[in-house]
Amino acid sequence: MSIPAQASGTPDAEPDGPEGRLRRFATIWSRAIFPSTATSMTRAEFEQHLLPLARELDTILHARPFDATPAQRVGGALVAAHCTDPDALSSTLGVIDSYLVLYCGGNGPVVLSTEDSRARCARIQHALAGGFTQALRERTLTEQEAIARSALTARSHAEQALHATEARFRAVFKDAAIGIGIADLDGNILEINDTLTRMFGGLEHHVRSHKVNEWVHPEDSPHVWKYYDELVRGEREHYSVEKPYYRNDGTVLWTNLTVSLLRDSEGRPEYQLALMEDTTERRLLNLRLRYEATHDALTGLPNRTLFFERLEKALALREGMRFGLCYLDLDGFKAINDSLGHAAGDRLLVEVADRLQSCATAPGEMVARLGGDEFVALTTGPRTEEEVDELAGRILSALATPMRLDGRELTVRGSIGVVEGPSGERTAAEVLRSADITMYRAKAAGGNRFAIADAEADARAITRHGLTTALPTALDRGEFFIEYQPLVHLGDGSVHGAEALVRWCHPQHGVLGPDRFIPLAEHTGLIVPLGRWVLEESVRQANFWQERHTDGGPLRINVNLSPTQLHHPRLVAETVDVLERSGLEPGALCLEVTESALIGADDDLLKPLRQLAEMGVAIALDDFGTGYSNLANLRRLPVSVLKLDRSFTQGMQHHPADPVDLKIVEGIVSLAHSLDLAVTVEGVETGAQAEQLRQLGCDTAQGWYYARPGAPDRIHSLLLADAV
């Protein structure tokens, strides 16, 4: 295997460039394993030989999606280069563990996190060791077959040249680096070499005292003794298996075993020849690499990889079995990291892990760390409905005890999402997604509690996520449209203006009101381009009305501003640009701002509103009465209209009206008029309500009594119909 090196002189080949760091890694690698390599190359030539292998490891480290399998080829290439000494593999794994991420971690298009890079490095080590082992095994088996043929030849020629053949056979038999044993077809051990004796602890009589078929072990593969029976019956010439043995001291010896049938000159089965390669250390290495790849380095808990394996097994259990899962996220852990430092945060996570382990000690229970401050606890069995709730309660109780950290006592809280159900109905990804959604529901409810998964709540959360991801392209695809609700003058019933209300015509969910997507747009930041589009469309429509309906078209268009838009630095400039391009007078535009958005507003926030008001743009204080603001603050706000919240006028829908509501509205109207503010009322639904509001002095109103929001061409065909 050869990969051309990059030409020197390129920027990447500079000492601090990616190619320079890669070459330093190859240099370190060659220095580590060259002394144990049986090769005719010089060290400089050997380093050049390792460079393409180092480049391949670099490529594997940064591959997306990540796949460590190609590292097996690197292990095989080491064997092909005669790096077969066990120290060569051990040194290679050490170099990769210490230097691969250090010199190559930043070479990829995306910088890997420390946790991700270490996990990838461990899996690369595991794959490389596997490839090295496989290649070494194939090479060994080839040598074994050669030895076997030599042994057969030696035995065959014994009758013709006993002395010469015996000497040759003994030389091969005695000096072989692998264990060799000969037995008859009844299993009696006739000959063993020194290597095999050492493999079993150095006591030859311990080996000879057993028959071949007595060397059983609980971890024997099911087909081992089936192959053996076929061989001694002459139905099979040889077989190769991985087989453990007990040594004389009770320890376990793992071997790659190849057994061949030896026939006499007439072809009848006569002996069996066993060749054994000691793979105990290699197996322990693989187990260690497997452990590191499936366990969290900080806490020692199973990691995401091992947890998913266990969860998938739990979900595939037989009928009648159930599972329960607790998904834990610590509340406020980021504040601990930010204030005390990440080292203290790590110690806290270790303590949390210890407490969680003490909560899940029953059979069928396990705890894992998914990453960061996220942990999961899994329980399986026939009665997990009660057990998982008890497990969640134990976890919260264990966390409630204060933890001492750097002389401080910290109380750790957590939010838990609980999912429980029968095996075989959901995939592991679906279960974890439901638990994640439920955990955030518990966190939104105040934290330090657990919530039970609910299919409807999951569906709503998934729908919200789908709407959030669809929002950015919905505006480009023209899926939004605007409906207009008339603003009616209470004195004469004429149309005073209209409020623009944005709607989303979703391809799957149909027409969605602003309450379904405006909060999502606020969260994602899309509210700014969406708000500008609404302003442009509304102003264009208002200008069209004024041009086509000079005999009483809407005098004003009301457009809502979100809190995020209020903080946008180009609010004034974009509003001026929209008005100038459309030709609409500033006085024909009214921007509605909710009262809650202006509570405690400083001069910097009010400055753009004052600039717009000075231009002639009307500012309306929407939902007035719900923000509990100081009425005296109205004097400092650049507003010209109060939009009274519908909660104050609901008691006026029927006659007689609620006297308390009458007094409140009367007081607000009197205060507003004394400050030269007009009063608009939302949610007018009956004629009695409209008449009462007119008598109280309210200026304009809107609501279903007059018209529901609709297409712009309906504004001039408004029909008043009392809903009573």
Side-chain angles (χ1 to χ4, degrees), residues 491-524:
D492 56 12
S494 61
V495 176
H496 176 76
E499 180 179 2
L501 301 169
V502 64
R503 306 285 189 258
W504 183 2
C505 185
H506 193 279
Q508 283 79 42
H509 302 291
V511 176
L512 304 177
D515 58 312
R516 294 287 302 276
F517 61 87
I518 290 298
L520 304 180
E522 284 269 6
H523 179 70
T524 60

Side-chain angles (χ1 to χ4, degrees), residues 434 437-438 441 452-464:
S434 178
I437 292 171
T438 307
R441 190 151 48 83
I452 308 298
D454 175 72
E456 293 184 1
D458 288 358
R460 289 194 297 270
I462 293 170
T463 299
R464 284 196 302 272

Side-chain angles (χ1 to χ4, degrees), residues 682-708:
E682 298 178 294
V684 178
E685 298 183 4
T686 68
Q689 194 178 11
E691 177 59 24
Q692 190 69 66
L693 292 169
R694 186 189 65 78
Q695 293 177 11
L696 290 173
C698 296
D699 300 291
T700 55
Q702 65 186 94
W704 286 9
Y705 170 65
Y706 302 106
R708 298 192 180 198

Side-chain angles (χ1 to χ4, degrees), residues 348-651:
L348 182 68
L349 290 175
V350 172
E351 175 65 22
V352 169
D354 291 341
R355 296 191 181 189
L356 293 182
Q357 281 186 300
S358 68
C359 296
T361 57
E365 294 182 344
M366 75 167 293
V367 173
R369 182 189 179 203
L370 298 186
D373 60 339
E374 295 180 344
F375 298 84
V376 286
L378 177 67
T379 180
T380 57
R383 295 184 301 276
T384 55
E385 297 99 324
E386 301 86 7
E387 293 172 356
V388 71
D389 288 356
E390 295 174 0
L391 178 59
R394 291 200 302 271
I395 291 173
L396 292 178
S397 297
L399 294 179
T401 304
M403 303 179 184
R404 292 200 62 82
L405 192 67
D406 294 338
R408 299 180 176 88
E409 275 198 354
L410 298 177
T411 300
V412 178
R413 295 155 49 95
S415 301
I416 300 176
V418 176
V419 180
E420 192 280 333
S423 301
E425 293 187 355
R426 287 179 281 184
T427 66
E430 291 170 343
V431 169
L432 202 62
R433 179 177 63 179
S434 178
D436 190 26
I437 292 171
T438 307
M439 179 272 293
Y440 278 108
R441 190 151 48 83
K443 193 176 288 287
N448 197 33
R449 69 192 66 205
F450 67 87
I452 308 298
D454 175 72
E456 293 184 1
D458 288 358
R460 289 194 297 270
I462 293 170
T463 299
R464 284 196 302 272
H465 176 73
L467 294 178
T468 302
T469 56
L471 267 171
T473 56
L475 186 59
D476 296 334
R477 291 196 298 262
E479 294 177 3
F480 293 101
F481 67 97
I482 300 175
E483 291 185 332
Y484 298 88
Q485 186 172 39
L487 290 162
V488 177
H489 198 286
L490 285 171
D492 56 12
S494 61
V495 176
H496 176 76
E499 180 179 2
L501 301 169
V502 64
R503 306 285 189 258
W504 183 2
C505 185
H506 193 279
Q508 283 79 42
H509 302 291
V511 176
L512 304 177
D515 58 312
R516 294 287 302 276
F517 61 87
I518 290 298
L520 304 180
E522 284 269 6
H523 179 70
T524 60
L526 187 70
I527 192 65
V528 172
L530 178 60
R532 179 182 173 89
W533 178 84
V534 171
L535 180 65
E536 290 174 341
E537 289 295 306
S538 303
V539 167
R540 183 192 60 78
Q541 183 61 54
N543 192 56
F544 174 79
W545 280 330
Q546 300 227 2
E547 291 177 352
R548 296 296 180 92
H549 300 279
T550 56
D551 55 343
L555 301 178
R556 178 173 290 169
I557 184 70
N558 286 30
V559 179
N560 291 282
L561 281 184
S562 75
T564 301
Q565 289 176 278
L566 286 176
H567 290 83
H568 192 260
R570 288 188 50 79
L571 172 63
V572 176
E574 290 185 354
T575 304
V576 171
D577 178 63
V578 169
L579 289 172
E580 289 180 349
R581 286 192 291 106
S582 68
L584 188 72
E585 292 296 325
L589 173 63
C590 177
L591 298 178
E592 297 189 9
V593 184
T594 61
E595 181 186 19
S596 59
L598 295 182
I599 292 179
D602 55 19
D603 288 340
D604 289 338
L605 181 62
L606 296 178
K607 182 178 179 181
L609 292 180
R610 289 197 178 104
Q611 291 176 336
L612 291 170
E614 290 170 359
M615 291 168 43
V617 175
I619 307 296
L621 194 60
D622 197 10
D623 296 335
F624 181 76
T626 62
Y628 306 103
S629 62
N630 188 338
L631 294 178
N633 283 336
L634 289 174
R635 300 182 60 185
R636 56 186 290 270
L637 299 179
V639 299
S640 56
V641 180
L642 292 186
K643 292 196 73 173
L644 194 60
D645 186 71
R646 66 183 64 211
S647 61
F648 292 105
T649 61
Q650 286 177 343

Side-chain angles (χ1 to χ4, degrees), residues 27 93 147 152 155 191 244 329 394 413 433 451 512 537 656 665 674:
T27 299
L93 295 178
I147 293 172
L152 286 170
R155 297 290 291 181
E191 295 286 345
D329 183 88
R394 291 200 302 271
R413 295 155 49 95
R433 179 177 63 179
L512 304 177
E537 289 295 306
V665 174
S674 69

